[in-house]
Amino acid sequence: MRHWVKDAPVDKVIDLARNDPDENVRYRSILILGEIGDERALEVLEWIKDNDEGENWEGEPLKYTAECAICQIQQRLSSAASPAPPPPWAG
């Protein structure tokens, strides 16, 4: 999955996560959105968290997967906004 994620068309994956009739396609799309980390996905992931009653093949509600993806994206955004500490030798 990681190989595909770097080239994933975000808009298409967002559409699949929200609209595909197959719960497993929605589940995998949610996972990919979390891996991509694009903030454009946050709105649809919030919608899924609040409205999608689907489950993956193991019976885990998709809303929990969406919550995890939201956290992944928020962490990526916050670490991108935080400047990296200077290396110890930079004095």
Side-chain angles (χ1 to χ4, degrees):
M1 181 168 80
R2 287 190 185 273
H3 174 72
W4 190 77
V5 165
K6 69 177 184 162
D7 297 322
V10 176
D11 294 332
K12 177 65 176 170
V13 180
I14 288 171
D15 182 57
L16 289 171
R18 179 161 183 177
N19 299 315
D20 199 276
D22 186 325
E23 293 176 338
N24 289 315
V25 171
R26 293 197 315 273
Y27 170 70
R28 290 181 190 277
S29 298
I30 294 166
L31 291 175
I32 291 168
L33 290 173
E35 288 289 320
I36 293 171
D38 192 306
E39 67 183 304
R40 292 177 288 172
L42 288 173
E43 184 178 340
V44 76
L45 291 170
E46 288 289 345
W47 184 91
I48 292 167
K49 181 182 72 139
D50 295 336
N51 298 290
D52 195 321
E53 297 295 323
E55 298 178 342
N56 68 12
W57 64 88
E58 294 178 330
E60 177 184 338
L62 297 183
K63 65 182 176 181
Y64 297 151
T65 309
E67 287 175 353
C68 290
I70 290 167
C71 288
Q72 282 181 288
I73 294 170
Q74 289 173 337
Q75 286 176 347
R76 179 166 293 164
L77 292 174
S78 71
S79 56
S82 301
W89 62 84

